[in-house]
Amino acid sequence: MANREDIMAKISELIGPFNNKGVALTPETTFQGDLEWDSLTVMDFVAAVEDEFDIIITMNMQADIESVGQLSDAVAKLMEN
């Protein structure tokens, strides 16, 4: 079982190709505000996260996830199930 730090590191790695502005990533980094992602970028990134961790992130969950830290917590919770 991966811990939050491992999950955060992997998510940061996955963000790399989508981080066109070179934003420094922290748990508080937001996808829309800081990274300025549009909906297509979000969908592509979610697909990459789902593939990497072998999980499904529902649309309802996505609506509640605004930051890298929230995504890390959600992935950890989904991996427990």
Side-chain angles (χ1 to χ4, degrees):
M1 179 68 56
N3 62 32
R4 187 174 193 257
E5 291 77 27
D6 292 340
I7 292 169
M8 178 85 179
K10 189 49 149 175
I11 288 173
S12 295
E13 184 181 314
L14 292 171
I15 288 173
F18 300 97
N19 190 357
N20 298 332
K21 298 191 175 285
V23 174
L25 300 176
T26 70
E28 291 78 30
T29 301
T30 61
F31 299 108
Q32 186 174 14
D34 297 324
L35 295 170
E36 299 179 11
W37 287 358
D38 60 20
S39 58
L40 181 59
T41 303
V42 169
M43 294 306 292
D44 287 344
F45 175 68
V46 167
V49 170
E50 289 176 331
D51 289 347
E52 178 65 34
F53 293 102
D54 195 26
I55 58 173
I56 300 292
I57 301 172
T58 66
M59 294 299 280
N60 287 341
M61 287 183 76
Q62 289 179 40
D64 294 333
I65 297 172
E66 297 178 0
S67 70
V68 174
Q70 288 174 331
L71 177 59
S72 298
D73 292 340
V75 168
K77 185 174 181 180
L78 287 167
M79 290 176 66
E80 289 175 1
N81 296 336

